[in-house]
Amino acid sequence: MGFKKLNENDFVNAARGETSNMDINTKRTKSILIHLTEEEVLELTQEAAKHRMSRSAYIRFKLFVKE
């Protein structure tokens, strides 16, 4: 499945922990700290905005959606 061909429903169906089976009260309680350059943050922010996602959602999307 190509990244640019993925629509919102496909993303939701493919994402781990993001489907409608998830309990409404389930919270994400774990975090990961990474260090990025200013340029990397700018690129990440622009890509996330282009796909109408928050940076966190975009990172999860890139990590967990299988192409």
Side-chain angles (χ1 to χ4, degrees):
M1 173 183 316
F3 172 68
K4 293 185 179 183
K5 296 177 185 174
L6 192 65
N7 65 38
E8 184 177 355
N9 289 334
D10 291 336
F11 168 70
V12 171
N13 291 334
R16 293 188 213 166
E18 296 291 321
T19 64
S20 60
N21 296 342
M22 187 177 207
D23 180 7
I24 190 100
N25 296 318
T26 301
K27 302 287 183 197
R28 289 187 173 94
T29 60
K30 303 297 180 189
S31 62
I32 297 174
L33 174 66
I34 61 169
H35 297 275
L36 302 173
T37 65
E38 291 290 331
E39 292 81 19
E40 291 168 332
V41 171
L42 179 60
E43 182 178 343
L44 175 64
T45 302
Q46 290 172 342
E47 286 297 310
K50 186 187 330 181
H51 293 89
R52 297 182 185 162
M53 296 178 169
S54 67
R55 287 188 299 206
S56 293
Y58 183 73
I59 291 168
R60 283 191 304 275
F61 171 77
K62 293 299 281 184
L63 284 172
F64 297 119
V65 172
K66 295 179 177 46
E67 296 188 43

PDB file of all heavy atoms in Angstrom, residues 53-66:
ATOM      1  N   MET A  53      -2.420  16.086   9.792  1.00  0.00           N
ATOM      2  CA  MET A  53      -2.197  15.290  11.005  1.00  0.00           C
ATOM      3  C   MET A  53      -1.353  16.098  11.971  1.00  0.00           C
ATOM      4  O   MET A  53      -0.610  16.997  11.564  1.00  0.00           O
ATOM      5  CB  MET A  53      -1.420  14.010  10.681  1.00  0.00           C
ATOM      6  CG  MET A  53      -2.099  13.040   9.786  1.00  0.00           C
ATOM      7  SD  MET A  53      -0.966  11.659   9.500  1.00  0.00           S
ATOM      8  CE  MET A  53      -2.048  10.517   8.711  1.00  0.00           C
ATOM      9  N   SER A  54      -1.473  15.739  13.238  1.00  0.00           N
ATOM     10  CA  SER A  54      -0.530  16.297  14.210  1.00  0.00           C
ATOM     11  C   SER A  54       0.820  15.630  13.974  1.00  0.00           C
ATOM     12  O   SER A  54       0.910  14.593  13.301  1.00  0.00           O
ATOM     13  CB  SER A  54      -1.001  16.013  15.636  1.00  0.00           C
ATOM     14  OG  SER A  54      -0.932  14.619  15.899  1.00  0.00           O
ATOM     15  N   ARG A  55       1.868  16.194  14.513  1.00  0.00           N
ATOM     16  CA  ARG A  55       3.186  15.557  14.362  1.00  0.00           C
ATOM     17  C   ARG A  55       3.188  14.171  14.985  1.00  0.00           C
ATOM     18  O   ARG A  55       3.732  13.221  14.407  1.00  0.00           O
ATOM     19  CB  ARG A  55       4.282  16.425  14.978  1.00  0.00           C
ATOM     20  CG  ARG A  55       4.579  17.651  14.150  1.00  0.00           C
ATOM     21  CD  ARG A  55       5.784  18.398  14.637  1.00  0.00           C
ATOM     22  NE  ARG A  55       5.600  18.858  16.001  1.00  0.00           N
ATOM     23  CZ  ARG A  55       6.208  19.889  16.532  1.00  0.00           C
ATOM     24  NH1 ARG A  55       7.065  20.583  15.824  1.00  0.00           N
ATOM     25  NH2 ARG A  55       5.983  20.254  17.759  1.00  0.00           N
ATOM     26  N   SER A  56       2.581  14.026  16.160  1.00  0.00           N
ATOM     27  CA  SER A  56       2.544  12.715  16.820  1.00  0.00           C
ATOM     28  C   SER A  56       1.793  11.687  15.983  1.00  0.00           C
ATOM     29  O   SER A  56       2.249  10.552  15.818  1.00  0.00           O
ATOM     30  CB  SER A  56       1.878  12.823  18.193  1.00  0.00           C
ATOM     31  OG  SER A  56       2.674  13.579  19.061  1.00  0.00           O
ATOM     32  N   ALA A  57       0.649  12.074  15.445  1.00  0.00           N
ATOM     33  CA  ALA A  57      -0.121  11.148  14.605  1.00  0.00           C
ATOM     34  C   ALA A  57       0.662  10.781  13.354  1.00  0.00           C
ATOM     35  O   ALA A  57       0.667   9.628  12.926  1.00  0.00           O
ATOM     36  CB  ALA A  57      -1.466  11.772  14.230  1.00  0.00           C
ATOM     37  N   TYR A  58       1.351  11.756  12.766  1.00  0.00           N
ATOM     38  CA  TYR A  58       2.134  11.496  11.564  1.00  0.00           C
ATOM     39  C   TYR A  58       3.283  10.527  11.861  1.00  0.00           C
ATOM     40  O   TYR A  58       3.550   9.608  11.086  1.00  0.00           O
ATOM     41  CB  TYR A  58       2.667  12.810  10.987  1.00  0.00           C
ATOM     42  CG  TYR A  58       3.437  12.626   9.706  1.00  0.00           C
ATOM     43  CD1 TYR A  58       2.783  12.326   8.523  1.00  0.00           C
ATOM     44  CD2 TYR A  58       4.820  12.746   9.685  1.00  0.00           C
ATOM     45  CE1 TYR A  58       3.485  12.149   7.344  1.00  0.00           C
ATOM     46  CE2 TYR A  58       5.533  12.575   8.509  1.00  0.00           C
ATOM     47  CZ  TYR A  58       4.862  12.273   7.346  1.00  0.00           C
ATOM     48  OH  TYR A  58       5.560  12.085   6.173  1.00  0.00           O
ATOM     49  N   ILE A  59       3.949  10.713  12.994  1.00  0.00           N
ATOM     50  CA  ILE A  59       5.038   9.804  13.372  1.00  0.00           C
ATOM     51  C   ILE A  59       4.497   8.398  13.580  1.00  0.00           C
ATOM     52  O   ILE A  59       5.075   7.413  13.105  1.00  0.00           O
ATOM     53  CB  ILE A  59       5.763  10.319  14.632  1.00  0.00           C
ATOM     54  CG1 ILE A  59       6.538  11.595  14.293  1.00  0.00           C
ATOM     55  CG2 ILE A  59       6.694   9.250  15.207  1.00  0.00           C
ATOM     56  CD1 ILE A  59       7.047  12.348  15.506  1.00  0.00           C
ATOM     57  N   ARG A  60       3.362   8.253  14.283  1.00  0.00           N
ATOM     58  CA  ARG A  60       2.757   6.921  14.466  1.00  0.00           C
ATOM     59  C   ARG A  60       2.393   6.315  13.113  1.00  0.00           C
ATOM     60  O   ARG A  60       2.603   5.126  12.872  1.00  0.00           O
ATOM     61  CB  ARG A  60       1.524   7.000  15.372  1.00  0.00           C
ATOM     62  CG  ARG A  60       1.858   7.133  16.841  1.00  0.00           C
ATOM     63  CD  ARG A  60       0.633   6.929  17.728  1.00  0.00           C
ATOM     64  NE  ARG A  60      -0.466   7.819  17.407  1.00  0.00           N
ATOM     65  CZ  ARG A  60      -0.597   9.059  17.871  1.00  0.00           C
ATOM     66  NH1 ARG A  60       0.309   9.556  18.687  1.00  0.00           N
ATOM     67  NH2 ARG A  60      -1.631   9.783  17.534  1.00  0.00           N
ATOM     68  N   PHE A  61       1.848   7.145  12.227  1.00  0.00           N
ATOM     69  CA  PHE A  61       1.493   6.686  10.895  1.00  0.00           C
ATOM     70  C   PHE A  61       2.725   6.131  10.173  1.00  0.00           C
ATOM     71  O   PHE A  61       2.693   5.029   9.627  1.00  0.00           O
ATOM     72  CB  PHE A  61       0.898   7.873  10.111  1.00  0.00           C
ATOM     73  CG  PHE A  61       0.676   7.605   8.653  1.00  0.00           C
ATOM     74  CD1 PHE A  61      -0.397   6.848   8.237  1.00  0.00           C
ATOM     75  CD2 PHE A  61       1.542   8.127   7.717  1.00  0.00           C
ATOM     76  CE1 PHE A  61      -0.620   6.598   6.886  1.00  0.00           C
ATOM     77  CE2 PHE A  61       1.332   7.901   6.362  1.00  0.00           C
ATOM     78  CZ  PHE A  61       0.253   7.131   5.956  1.00  0.00           C
ATOM     79  N   LYS A  62       3.816   6.874  10.181  1.00  0.00           N
ATOM     80  CA  LYS A  62       5.027   6.429   9.495  1.00  0.00           C
ATOM     81  C   LYS A  62       5.628   5.190  10.155  1.00  0.00           C
ATOM     82  O   LYS A  62       6.215   4.366   9.477  1.00  0.00           O
ATOM     83  CB  LYS A  62       6.073   7.568   9.459  1.00  0.00           C
ATOM     84  CG  LYS A  62       5.666   8.754   8.614  1.00  0.00           C
ATOM     85  CD  LYS A  62       5.449   8.384   7.169  1.00  0.00           C
ATOM     86  CE  LYS A  62       6.756   8.250   6.434  1.00  0.00           C
ATOM     87  NZ  LYS A  62       6.604   7.992   5.008  1.00  0.00           N
ATOM     88  N   LEU A  63       5.478   5.053  11.458  1.00  0.00           N
ATOM     89  CA  LEU A  63       6.041   3.896  12.152  1.00  0.00           C
ATOM     90  C   LEU A  63       5.223   2.626  11.955  1.00  0.00           C
ATOM     91  O   LEU A  63       5.786   1.535  11.824  1.00  0.00           O
ATOM     92  CB  LEU A  63       6.128   4.170  13.661  1.00  0.00           C
ATOM     93  CG  LEU A  63       7.240   5.070  14.132  1.00  0.00           C
ATOM     94  CD1 LEU A  63       7.069   5.387  15.622  1.00  0.00           C
ATOM     95  CD2 LEU A  63       8.594   4.427  13.874  1.00  0.00           C
ATOM     96  N   PHE A  64       3.900   2.737  11.948  1.00  0.00           N
ATOM     97  CA  PHE A  64       3.075   1.548  12.057  1.00  0.00           C
ATOM     98  C   PHE A  64       2.289   1.149  10.813  1.00  0.00           C
ATOM     99  O   PHE A  64       1.832   0.024  10.732  1.00  0.00           O
ATOM    100  CB  PHE A  64       2.099   1.685  13.228  1.00  0.00           C
ATOM    101  CG  PHE A  64       2.810   1.788  14.549  1.00  0.00           C
ATOM    102  CD1 PHE A  64       2.663   2.905  15.342  1.00  0.00           C
ATOM    103  CD2 PHE A  64       3.628   0.774  14.990  1.00  0.00           C
ATOM    104  CE1 PHE A  64       3.315   3.005  16.556  1.00  0.00           C
ATOM    105  CE2 PHE A  64       4.286   0.849  16.196  1.00  0.00           C
ATOM    106  CZ  PHE A  64       4.140   1.977  17.000  1.00  0.00           C
ATOM    107  N   VAL A  65       2.109   2.035   9.846  1.00  0.00           N
ATOM    108  CA  VAL A  65       1.370   1.656   8.640  1.00  0.00           C
ATOM    109  C   VAL A  65       2.317   0.876   7.737  1.00  0.00           C
ATOM    110  O   VAL A  65       3.386   1.363   7.376  1.00  0.00           O
ATOM    111  CB  VAL A  65       0.796   2.880   7.909  1.00  0.00           C
ATOM    112  CG1 VAL A  65       0.210   2.492   6.571  1.00  0.00           C
ATOM    113  CG2 VAL A  65      -0.267   3.535   8.774  1.00  0.00           C
ATOM    114  N   LYS A  66       1.905  -0.326   7.410  1.00  0.00           N
ATOM    115  CA  LYS A  66       2.714  -1.179   6.551  1.00  0.00           C
ATOM    116  C   LYS A  66       2.427  -0.856   5.094  1.00  0.00           C
ATOM    117  O   LYS A  66       1.294  -0.805   4.675  1.00  0.00           O
ATOM    118  CB  LYS A  66       2.411  -2.645   6.839  1.00  0.00           C
ATOM    119  CG  LYS A  66       2.825  -3.045   8.242  1.00  0.00           C
ATOM    120  CD  LYS A  66       2.470  -4.500   8.488  1.00  0.00           C
ATOM    121  CE  LYS A  66       2.912  -4.993   9.833  1.00  0.00           C
ATOM    122  NZ  LYS A  66       2.659  -4.200  10.965  1.00  0.00           N
TER     123      LYS A  66
END
